[in-house]
Amino acid sequence: MTSKPSRLLPAALAGVIALLPAWAAAQWRHLDSLPQVQRDGNTVTFAAAADSGRTEHVAISVLSPEVVRVRFSPVAFGRDHSDAVVDRQLGVQDFRFESTAFGSLIATDALRVEVQAAPFRLTIKDADGNVIDADDAGRGIAHDGSAVRVWKQLRDTDNVYGFGEKNGAFNKRGWALGGYHYVMWNSDTYGYDNSTDPIYASVPFYLVLREGRAHGVFLDNTHRSSFDVGRERRGLLSFGADGGELDYTVIAGPHPRDVVRRYAQLTGRAPLPPRWALGYHQSRWSYYPEARVRRLADTFRQEQVPADTLWLDIDYQDEFKPFTWSAERFPAPAKLVADLREQGFRTVVILDPHPTKEPGYRIFDEGVAGDHFVKNPDGTLFEGPVWPINAPNKPGNSVFPDFTRPATRAWWGRQHKMFTDVGIAGIWNDMNEPAVWVPPANTMPDDVRFDHEGQPTNHAEVHNLYGMQMTRSTFEGLTALKPEERPFVLTRATFAGGQRYAWVWTGDNRAEWSSLQQSIPMLLNFGLSGFPFIGGDVGGFSGYPSGELFTRWLQAALFSPFFRGHTEQATPDQEPWSFGQPWTRINKATIELRYRLLPTLYTAVEESSRTGLPVMRPLMLEYPEDPQTHGRGDQFLVGTDLLVAPVLVESATSRDVYFPKGEWIDFHTGTRLEGGKTHKVDAPVERLPVFVRAGSMVAMQPVVQHTGEMAAQPIVFRAFPDSQGRATGVLYDDDGESMAYRDGAFLRQRATLRTVRGKACVALETVEGRAEASSRERRFEGPEGAPLPAC
Ligand code: GLC
């Protein structure tokens, strides 16, 4: 299958694009003129008195020569607070400012912001005069009651990406697809399909590639928001929110990598994870009792299928109550976790945000005493049904911590001591949209009260923050409890900036080929939106996959940073060996390949944590000048040197792969393929098509059963030389779990293939760090595995 925008897609995307959104019917008041102009430091404010004593304001701030913030409020500006943004000091420099009766100009070294005075419209150009971002001449910024919105010009040649975790085609160039309309409102969407919107996470950020030049736009607003890409009208892209300010930041490139990097600087980067998190994870809803978990661990080791982490879903708890263990199913958690650790496994437990409303249950009592639970407008505790309503003995409603309140985050975070004390290695936060089983909203009512960092507000404003602030509590709690260890948190719901606290998985997908197909563009766009450490349930959560589907999914996920098999309650076993032959053999080899490539994956992960660039990269991120890459959502790069083209179609044993410029080498066969072309490649069921950019060195290692065995194994650089016999590659290494890397205990090393006295050899040089931080033996080999000496 190719990912060229298909004209058939709109029908399949009914949920995404069908209904005319509510805002289309709003009574928009478009900004006219804002004649009071004032510069103060790096901000220029435009204001005008409007009806009913209001004053309309637009403030334009220069955050760096390439980054400009636009803030509009139909009333006086409120507190300048952001939960997403961590850094607005992006390299502020002086800029030129001119203002006349016709308009104003703000000019940096890289950008010209042209402000038309009446009606008030913005056009942002690069230094060469190319239009990056421009208001629609007829509309521009508008408001209606508490809603705010802006309409931008959309060109037929624009390619649009990002929006975080969204369904639909990779390239959201709306007009060609009949238009896209995306809503940002974190939603529990069991068994979602390719048309479901919104789903769990909200990242109000998009990236436009316009004639080879990229820019990004981030709407920093946590209310329900929406983005319309050419659906309302072919030439328009609009976005806005139900409340709050229209606060958006335009990030210029020109390279898409520049945009992603600057967005990551603005909203933060995902911290370096522990290396074990890159191993294979096995989960299901739920492995219990203890004996079953032990059997699972034994089977992995007996079958010699590598794995690092076993997961406990909700049934490990007593009556689904957070911070409890079922005494009957898990009578001795510390012993179990220690025994698993002996076998090389980490244990992760789920932890949902819904303590049972039950006097006598410590978390409930403490939470009430500490004023930690959210309340209705009348001051009573808000309560609602989630898992504890299904508790066998004492079913009941739940209450919900206010994670927007610092004291509550700290209190909840401290509770994790009971897990770290027994050796639990990571925490899985789920149901944190928050899910509340009361239709039709399936979340809290809009008017439930929240602290919001000391500025009380309602649920409508902070809904999209709930999951992120829960993971912040978990992350900070784990950090405080184990300051020497890198925390590991997985979440379902999150918001822009949430990458600072947790990895994200894409929730309750389906055991269907269409869900596998959808997973790749979703992960690619999510990665472009600041979240590099992501993955989906391998095999599909709802329903049950065929052996072939599971095997292809495992292959397709081999390069997802998060690599976990998971399935819903009451499905048949879904482990790598559950489908008989040939699937067991192939699945084992797939996971082995993941482990063989871990040094390369860890290097890519470290780069992501430093730069914000994704691990799984769409081709357009590295080759934006090549139009052939713009719609490719079914193949991707890992870092810059690996090209992966998973098989996503039932029964297929070959597929078309587009190779960007240069030369590429089949990782499995060594066959050379010329770039700038599409090739049909063999992809028998045992093989994930992987290609290496000619001229690179890939860091590998022998198969290990878990990451704890790596220290004893060499790192093997395999050379994939270009036509001139050159090859080079970088490796990052450290101890894989402590914080010592922050104090320089790491090594970044470059390996280069050389010819010395007519013989090939490999030279290693330190790029950064300390040699003693990575003491594993180094070996070198040619493309077919023949050993090469060090120079
Ligand atoms: C939700 C999660 C799923 C989990 C289940 C039970 O549906 O998305 O992964 O297994 O709850 O906790």
Side-chain angles (χ1 to χ4, degrees):
M1 116 170 196
T2 75
S3 65
K4 280 208 197 110
S6 153
R7 305 229 165 222
L8 295 176
L9 215 54
L13 285 169
V16 176
I17 60 175
L19 298 169
L20 249 197
W23 56 263
Q27 301 293 308
W28 292 111
R29 302 166 64 100
H30 296 270
L31 277 192
D32 188 15
S33 73
L34 303 175
Q36 300 153 27
V37 184
Q38 198 186 329
R39 176 178 180 174
D40 181 11
N42 68 332
T43 300
V44 179
T45 307
F46 302 83
D51 55 1
S52 14
R54 291 182 302 111
T55 319
E56 295 174 338
H57 295 82
V58 173
I60 301 178
S61 304
V62 174
L63 307 190
S64 82
E66 299 84 10
V67 182
V68 173
R69 177 185 181 199
V70 179
R71 205 177 159 201
F72 161 69
S73 175
V75 292
F77 284 128
R79 161 177 83 155
D80 189 8
H81 167 86
S82 173
D83 300 277
V85 169
V86 288
D87 185 5
R88 288 199 210 280
Q89 307 301 316
L90 303 181
V92 185
Q93 282 176 10
D94 199 18
F95 56 88
R96 192 150 65 92
F97 172 60
E98 292 159 14
S99 192
T100 70
F102 304 103
S104 304
L105 171 72
I106 295 169
T108 71
D109 290 350
L111 296 178
R112 289 172 63 86
V113 182
E114 298 175 1
V115 185
Q116 175 186 296
F120 187 91
R121 298 285 183 269
L122 297 180
T123 300
I124 302 178
K125 297 178 177 167
D126 68 15
D128 298 331
N130 300 300
V131 175
I132 292 177
D133 172 277
D135 288 354
D136 175 51
R139 309 203 197 183
I141 294 173
H143 61 97
D144 173 27
S146 61
V148 287
R149 199 160 189 92
V150 64
W151 282 261
K152 303 278 182 191
Q153 296 170 17
L154 177 71
R155 298 189 187 168
D156 284 0
T157 48
D158 287 349
N159 302 287
V160 187
Y161 309 95
F163 301 113
E165 184 193 55
K166 289 294 179 195
N167 283 298
F170 169 56
N171 185 347
K172 319 293 187 193
R173 55 202 299 248
W175 64 269
L177 298 166
Y180 272 89
H181 184 77
Y182 283 123
V183 171
M184 301 293 169
W185 184 255
N186 294 354
S187 303
D188 176 9
T189 44
Y190 167 83
Y192 66 87
D193 68 21
N194 300 358
S195 68
T196 311
D197 186 76
I199 58 170
Y200 309 94
S202 292
V203 190
F205 168 76
Y206 65 86
L207 185 150
V208 177
L209 193 56
R210 174 175 286 180
E211 278 140 25
R213 283 182 297 270
H215 75 273
V217 174
F218 170 54
L219 174 64
D220 192 3
N221 183 312
T222 60
H223 293 257
R224 181 192 290 265
S225 63
S226 69
F227 291 76
D228 190 283
V229 189
R231 158 141 177 80
E232 186 200 7
R233 209 205 294 162
R234 173 173 171 165
L236 292 180
L237 188 161
S238 74
F239 58 87
D242 286 0
E245 294 172 4
L246 185 79
D247 179 352
Y248 68 93
T249 300
V250 178
I251 305 167
H255 201 284
R257 273 197 310 256
D258 301 331
V259 176
V260 175
R261 265 201 222 106
R262 290 184 185 126
Y263 174 73
Q265 207 184 338
L266 193 69
T267 62
R269 299 172 192 94
L272 186 65
R275 186 157 34 207
W276 59 261
L278 297 174
Y280 179 68
H281 300 257
Q282 186 64 55
S283 184
R284 77 158 295 125
W285 173 17
S286 300
Y287 289 119
Y288 72 85
E290 174 184 318
R292 184 164 178 212
V293 179
R294 289 181 183 277
R295 244 185 354 259
L296 180 72
D298 292 344
T299 312
F300 270 103
R301 297 307 179 229
Q302 274 151 22
E303 298 283 325
Q304 295 270 288
V305 176
D308 264 79
T309 311
L310 305 182
W311 291 59
L312 301 182
D313 204 333
I314 49 174
D315 298 285
Y316 79 86
Q317 303 167 109
D318 174 34
E319 305 266 300
F320 305 125
K321 288 189 291 208
F323 301 110
T324 63
W325 288 93
S326 155
E328 183 197 325
R329 292 168 176 172
F330 292 90
K335 173 89 171 81
L336 171 68
V337 173
D339 290 349
L340 293 176
R341 194 74 191 82
E342 279 284 296
Q343 291 177 282
F345 290 102
R346 254 86 182 185
T347 309
V348 172
V349 294
I350 199 168
L351 209 280
D352 295 346
H354 47 59
T356 317
K357 186 186 176 203
E358 183 190 302
Y361 161 41
R362 186 177 61 81
I363 299 295
F364 176 73
D365 291 345
E366 268 188 41
V368 170
D371 204 15
H372 293 309
F373 301 128
V374 295
K375 301 202 182 85
N376 296 306
D378 67 4
T380 56
L381 282 183
F382 170 76
E383 59 182 271
V386 209
W387 294 121
I389 203 75
N390 293 341
N393 299 316
K394 282 199 206 160
N397 270 346
S398 291
V399 290
F400 300 82
D402 183 355
F403 292 113
T404 71
R405 180 174 178 253
T408 300
R409 283 199 296 271
W411 165 71
W412 185 266
R414 281 195 300 275
Q415 307 304 323
H416 292 83
K417 185 164 188 304
M418 66 165 275
F419 293 129
T420 52
D421 278 353
V422 299
I424 292 296
I427 299 292
W428 172 17
N429 286 161
D430 187 23
M431 309 299 279
N432 50 359
E433 290 70 31
V436 181
W437 296 339
V438 182
N442 290 315
T443 189
M444 297 172 186
D446 280 354
D447 61 1
V448 168
R449 303 297 298 164
F450 281 80
D451 175 70
H452 200 199
E453 320 298 320
Q455 181 139 324
T457 188
N458 58 24
H459 175 241
E461 179 171 359
V462 294
H463 171 83
N464 285 331
L465 285 174
Y466 194 84
M468 164 164 142
Q469 297 300 53
M470 180 190 195
T471 64
R472 178 174 176 188
S473 161
T474 311
F475 180 89
E476 289 174 351
L478 294 177
T479 304
L481 288 161
K482 294 256 175 184
E484 299 308 318
E485 284 179 23
R486 303 176 200 170
F488 178 77
V489 183
L490 180 77
T491 188
R492 195 169 70 175
T494 192
F495 186 71
Q499 67 270 11
R500 304 193 299 265
Y501 311 117
W503 290 28
V504 188
W505 101 106
T506 58
D508 299 349
N509 58 4
R510 298 180 179 199
E512 289 171 12
W513 288 91
S514 59
S515 197
L516 168 61
Q517 285 151 19
Q518 181 57 44
S519 71
I520 308 294
M522 181 183 285
L523 293 174
L524 294 180
N525 277 313
F526 209 176
L528 289 175
S529 311
F531 284 82
F533 303 150
I534 48 182
D537 287 347
V538 169
F541 177 74
S542 84
Y544 190 68
S546 65
E548 185 191 354
L549 176 56
F550 184 87
T551 287
R552 287 307 199 184
W553 208 315
L554 196 71
Q555 292 172 346
L558 198 148
F559 290 99
S560 303
F562 186 51
F563 187 40
R564 183 186 72 161
H566 183 56
T567 179
E568 70 179 322
Q569 197 181 27
T571 54
D573 285 352
Q574 196 172 303
E575 288 89 43
W577 51 80
S578 303
F579 300 89
Q581 297 297 5
W583 314 115
T584 300
R585 177 173 51 76
I586 302 171
N587 296 341
K588 174 170 146 77
T590 301
I591 297 175
E592 286 175 348
L593 181 57
R594 165 84 170 204
Y595 277 81
R596 286 166 60 205
L597 286 165
L598 269 188
T600 287
L601 197 62
Y602 192 55
T603 299
V605 159
E606 189 276 337
E607 187 189 345
S608 292
S609 72
R610 196 162 28 86
T611 64
L613 292 169
V615 175
M616 286 170 68
R617 296 185 192 172
L619 268 54
M620 52 64 63
L621 185 59
E622 295 296 328
Y623 302 92
E625 69 291 346
D626 177 355
Q628 287 292 324
T629 66
H630 295 172
R632 303 274 159 186
D634 66 347
Q635 54 178 91
F636 54 89
L637 301 162
V638 177
T640 53
D641 297 346
L642 298 182
L643 190 155
V644 184
V647 173
L648 308 170
V649 176
E650 186 166 18
S651 305
T653 53
S654 66
R655 62 159 283 174
D656 285 351
V657 181
Y658 179 72
F659 292 89
K661 70 178 180 218
E663 201 187 2
W664 297 82
I665 303 172
D666 188 317
F667 175 83
H668 303 281
T669 65
T671 306
R672 287 178 176 263
L673 298 138
E674 197 190 325
K677 283 191 179 146
T678 297
H679 294 266
K680 187 172 183 141
V681 303
D682 279 346
V685 281
E686 40 288 303
R687 197 188 295 164
L688 167 70
V690 179
F691 307 87
V692 185
R693 198 176 53 78
S696 40
M697 286 274 211
V698 178
M700 299 176 61
Q701 65 184 13
V703 172
V704 289
Q705 294 307 306
H706 57 88
T707 53
E709 290 181 353
M710 285 168 62
Q713 297 295 332
I715 292 174
V716 185
F717 289 90
R718 185 178 280 193
F720 293 85
D722 64 14
S723 50
Q724 269 119 64
R726 293 170 307 197
T728 183
V730 172
L731 169 87
Y732 172 88
D733 196 31
D734 63 16
D735 69 23
E737 53 191 5
S738 83
M739 294 296 186
Y741 73 94
R742 290 187 171 173
D743 307 319
F746 69 88
L747 179 64
R748 198 183 324 281
Q749 210 171 31
R750 176 175 292 112
T752 308
L753 183 64
R754 295 238 161 87
T755 309
V756 177
R757 286 185 285 278
K759 286 215 164 124
C761 62
V762 177
L764 275 182
E765 56 182 311
T766 297
V767 180
E768 207 186 344
R770 301 182 202 137
E772 66 272 18
S774 173
S775 53
R776 294 169 66 187
E777 184 198 343
R778 300 319 196 236
R779 287 188 197 158
F780 313 103
E781 57 187 41
E784 276 86 44
L788 285 172
C791 293

